[in-house]
């Protein structure tokens, strides 16, 4: 049987197609990446392929906080130096990275993997609220910090969490909402200014 | 004459979808352009000047620049942020239900100033005290009238007999109520009490200055909700997603009320 002369280009177009299905990568970028990988040293391509495979094979969700981790319990939940009586609730694992980068928080986390969005049909069952409540009931927790985004969905989630957590006798706090560093007051919206004024602090 | 490059409009933000790393596509309801979409660049970054003025349930003055496929939002200033709606779980849920209804029942670029006014008026009423469920029914009835689905509540749709003082049978596929005789030929119709019909007629006639001030008992409220829900589901051929969320909240508050007793 004759060898299909287009077979070699097939594997190229296949990779182009796969890459362009990724967010933020269009057909042209996909093409550029593909031809770059074609000429790159084999070791580099192999390590990229290994990294991609192990991303799905080795990572799992932490059984306690649902952060993404290589082990059953993530390094933060395992760390005995952290304050286990405080839990910060965030929408997605990337939020933990942002908070950890600051290094000002030493408690534990809980990742909801989403926010309540009534108009998009995301309810309490679709995010990890049930797991959070059982965690709060089974452990001695003094404070819960709600760190959801200051968007309509994040606010709805925060108000709902406050409603279900405060009857448990746990202190519920919300990350301060006010003016971000480096912005100008004149561009701030009403809600932000109201919150900034309410939450002002003595020098 | 070519159209100017940018234009300004009042807008109420009724939907938003994430796009790319930090962008959003917003659906705006405007008084003179109807429902339009706008591309909001970089609004998910914390330093975005526009983000606070382009959140859901915000009435803003928006400037858009014309684009090939979609117009880009280049400026925005809040007219009314409806802050009470954003700081109360129940109110926020009612308001989200209303904007989902508007989004589902309107087509893009169909101008309806009166619907825009109804939307803003309803949001203002929602911020005040009163019966919010009744306000939703009021909004639903008037929204349906404006988009061409006004239910017939005065007389039987089929035989035209007046149903002033008797029970009717609501039939979604007929678009209104039927008399007991005609209802036998339509299996999808269901009975509506005299009081229920009367309240619906009152709300439809718009003789109330503030629909939330009317007082009705819980069972009547549930009946009206059921009628409108079925009718809306029939028209859209799907459920309104936020209705399920309202249901969850109601169920929880009923449970907590029972546990207090």
């Amino acid at each position: 049987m004759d060898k299909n002369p287009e077979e070699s280009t097939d594997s190229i177009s296949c990779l182009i197609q796969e890459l362009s299905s990724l967010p933020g990568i269009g057909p042209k970028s996909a093409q550029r990446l593909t031809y770059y990988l074609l000429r790159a040293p084999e070791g580099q391509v192999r390590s990229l392929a290994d990294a991609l495979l192990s991303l799905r094979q080795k990572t799992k969700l932490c059984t306690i906080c649902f952060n993404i981790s290589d082990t059953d319990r993530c390094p933060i939940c395992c760390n005995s130096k952290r304050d286990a009586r405080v839990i910060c609730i965030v929408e997605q694992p990337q939020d933990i990275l942002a908070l950890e980068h600051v290094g000002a928080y030493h408690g534990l986390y809980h990742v909801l993997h989403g926010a309540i969005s009534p108009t998009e049909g995301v309810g309490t069952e679709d995010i990890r609220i049930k797991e959070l409540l059982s965690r709060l009931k089974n452990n001695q927790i003094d404070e819960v910090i709600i760190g959801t985004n200051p968007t309509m969905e994040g606010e709805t989630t925060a108000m709902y969490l406050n409603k279900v957590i405060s009857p448990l006798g746990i202190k519920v706090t919300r990350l301060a909402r006010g003016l971000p560093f480096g912005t100008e007051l004149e561009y701030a919206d009403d809600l932000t200014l109201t919150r900034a004024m309410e939450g002002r602090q003595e020098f | 004459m070519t159209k100017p490059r940018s234009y300004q409009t009042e807008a109420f933000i009724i939907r938003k979808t994430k796009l790319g790393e930090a962008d959003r596509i917003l659906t705006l309801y405007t008084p003179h352009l109807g429902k339009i979409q706008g591309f909001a660049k970089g609004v998910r970054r914390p330093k975005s000047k526009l983000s606070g003025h382009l959140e859901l349930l915000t009435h803003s003055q928006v400037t858009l620049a014309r684009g090939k496929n979609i117009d880009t939002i280049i400026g925005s200033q809040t007219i009314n942020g409806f802050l009470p709606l954003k700081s109360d779980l129940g109110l926020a849920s009612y308001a989200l239900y209303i904007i989902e209804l508007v989004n589902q029942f309107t087509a893009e670029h169909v101008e309806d100033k009166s619907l825009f006014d109804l939307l803003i008026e309803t949001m203002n009423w929602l911020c005040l005290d009163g019966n919010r469920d009744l306000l939703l029914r009021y909004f639903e009835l008037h929204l349906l009238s404006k988009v061409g689905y006004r239910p017939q509540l005065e007389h039987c749709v089929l035989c035209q007999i007046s149903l002033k003082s008797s029970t009717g049978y609501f039939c979604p596929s007929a678009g209104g109520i039927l008399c007991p005789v005609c209802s036998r030929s339509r299996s999808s119709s269901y009975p509506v009490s005299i009081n229920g019909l009367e309240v619906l007629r009152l709300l439809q006639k718009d003789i109330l200055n503030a629909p939330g001030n009317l007082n009705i008992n819980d069972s009547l409220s549930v009946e009206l909700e059921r009628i409108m829900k079925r009718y809306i589901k029939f028209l859209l051929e799907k459920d309104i997603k936020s209705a399920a969320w309202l249901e969850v909240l109601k169920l929880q508050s009923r449970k907590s009320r029972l546990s207090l007793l």
Side-chain angles (χ1 to χ4, degrees):
Chain A
M1 207 171 82
D2 283 348
K3 206 180 166 193
N4 186 357
E6 287 183 10
E7 202 175 338
S8 59
T9 50
D10 264 0
S11 56
I12 288 182
S13 61
C14 178
L15 182 60
I16 292 178
Q17 211 173 3
E18 289 299 322
L19 285 174
S20 56
S21 67
L22 298 174
I25 296 185
K28 277 287 167 202
S29 306
Q31 211 173 28
R32 204 168 48 239
L33 289 172
T34 306
Y35 279 98
Y36 170 79
L37 289 171
L38 198 62
R39 282 186 225 109
E42 187 164 347
Q44 190 185 352
V45 178
R46 203 165 283 282
S47 66
L48 175 67
D50 287 345
L52 283 176
L53 281 176
S54 64
L55 177 71
R56 291 310 291 263
Q57 285 166 355
K58 290 189 187 156
T59 56
K60 41 190 146 186
L61 293 183
C62 168
T63 49
I64 301 174
C65 71
F66 299 98
N67 186 12
I68 290 166
S69 146
D70 286 347
T71 48
D72 272 346
R73 290 185 174 196
C74 73
I76 297 175
C77 290
C78 290
N79 189 343
S80 57
K81 284 181 188 158
R82 299 194 74 116
D83 187 353
R85 289 169 164 251
V86 188
I87 294 180
C88 179
I89 305 168
V90 293
E91 285 182 24
Q92 46 181 4
Q94 295 95 302
D95 299 337
I96 294 189
L97 294 182
L99 284 164
E100 282 301 291
H101 182 75
V102 182
Y105 175 65
H106 304 290
L108 302 181
Y109 292 96
H110 186 91
V111 187
L112 294 173
H113 290 276
I116 296 170
S117 174
T119 50
E120 304 299 324
V122 183
T124 52
E125 298 294 314
D126 305 307
I127 58 175
R128 299 194 183 266
I129 289 184
K130 215 192 296 165
E131 290 88 343
L132 171 69
L133 292 179
S134 69
R135 191 176 163 193
L136 294 178
K137 279 171 193 158
N138 298 332
N139 296 289
Q140 180 65 44
I141 307 291
D142 295 337
E143 183 183 354
V144 161
I145 304 168
I146 302 178
T148 53
N149 294 332
T151 57
M152 202 57 221
E153 294 82 8
E155 289 289 307
T156 310
T157 314
M159 289 188 279
Y160 178 78
L161 286 176
N162 179 37
K163 198 175 143 184
V164 288
I165 297 173
S166 24
L168 303 176
I170 297 169
K171 180 177 165 192
V172 182
T173 55
R174 176 94 169 96
L175 283 188
R177 287 150 299 173
L179 300 163
F181 187 75
T183 49
E184 290 170 36
L185 198 69
E186 65 168 315
Y187 294 116
D189 61 286
D190 298 6
L191 189 61
T192 307
L193 276 179
T194 314
R195 296 269 157 77
M197 197 53 98
E198 282 167 3
R200 67 183 189 277
Q201 286 175 346
E202 207 170 335
F203 248 112
Chain B
M1 207 178 82
T2 52
K3 287 178 178 173
R5 266 201 201 152
S6 67
Y7 58 96
Q8 270 200 16
T9 175
E10 267 183 55
F12 195 77
I13 291 76
I14 58 171
R15 185 156 189 252
K16 55 177 192 182
T17 32
K18 285 182 184 176
L19 186 81
E21 193 179 335
D23 312 331
R24 271 206 178 106
I25 302 263
L26 299 175
T27 307
L28 315 170
Y29 199 80
T30 66
H32 301 296
L33 301 162
K35 185 167 85 173
I36 56 169
Q37 295 218 315
F39 174 62
K41 201 166 170 47
V43 284
R44 280 155 61 206
R45 295 187 206 281
K47 282 188 188 175
S48 163
K49 282 184 267 188
L50 300 178
S51 61
H53 303 279
L54 293 173
E55 192 47 62
L56 283 181
L57 306 177
T58 306
H59 178 198
S60 295
Q61 181 77 21
V62 180
T63 312
L64 295 110
R66 283 180 216 281
K68 260 189 208 160
N69 301 315
I70 187 168
D71 297 346
T72 305
I73 298 171
I74 51 174
S76 179
Q77 178 69 49
T78 306
I79 296 172
N80 188 346
F82 292 104
L83 302 189
L85 302 184
K86 292 169 184 166
S87 5
D88 182 291
L89 186 58
L91 290 187
S93 311
Y94 282 118
L96 290 173
Y97 174 76
I98 289 173
I99 56 172
E100 193 183 347
L101 274 185
V102 172
N103 189 34
Q104 292 293 347
F105 274 105
T106 52
E108 276 187 39
H109 306 293
V110 180
E111 176 201 340
D112 190 348
K113 170 86 165 56
S114 65
L115 178 53
F116 180 82
D117 293 339
L118 173 71
L119 178 62
I120 299 294
E121 186 182 46
T122 311
M123 290 297 163
N124 276 319
W125 272 333
L126 204 51
C127 296
L128 307 172
D129 285 335
N131 187 334
R132 267 97 188 210
D133 282 301
L134 218 49
L135 184 59
L136 286 195
R137 303 292 92 76
Y138 171 88
F139 180 80
E140 288 163 349
L141 282 166
H142 283 261
L143 172 76
L144 292 177
S145 299
K146 288 182 200 304
V147 295
Y149 293 115
R150 179 188 166 101
Q152 173 56 261
L153 300 170
E154 302 295 333
H155 49 75
C156 171
V157 184
L158 296 179
C159 69
Q160 310 296 323
I161 189 175
S162 169
L163 290 166
K164 271 280 171 243
S165 52
S166 64
T167 9
Y169 291 79
F170 196 88
C171 178
S173 59
I177 49 164
L178 303 176
C179 65
V181 182
C182 292
S183 73
R184 282 181 217 138
S185 65
R186 297 281 186 128
S187 57
S188 62
S189 59
Y190 41 92
V192 187
S193 67
I194 297 177
N195 284 342
L197 259 180
E198 208 47 57
V199 175
L200 285 180
R201 284 184 192 131
L202 214 60
L203 291 174
Q204 195 179 47
K205 272 181 198 148
D206 193 15
I207 48 165
L208 303 160
N209 291 322
N213 289 346
L214 201 67
N215 259 326
I216 59 168
N217 62 29
D218 283 354
S219 62
L220 193 55
S221 176
V222 171
E223 184 190 354
L224 299 181
E225 185 181 335
R226 214 167 282 162
I227 294 168
M228 293 311 294
K229 208 173 176 180
R230 279 198 196 175
Y231 188 40
I232 288 169
K233 188 177 176 180
F234 172 79
L235 295 173
L236 292 175
E237 297 181 4
K238 62 179 174 188
D239 282 312
I240 289 282
K241 290 174 190 158
S242 335
W245 173 244
L246 278 176
E247 206 60 38
V248 169
L249 288 184
K250 272 185 194 158
L251 206 71
Q252 279 196 347
S253 65
R254 219 170 294 152
K255 260 189 206 165
S256 62
R257 241 186 293 161
L258 282 178
S259 65
L260 282 177
L261 288 175

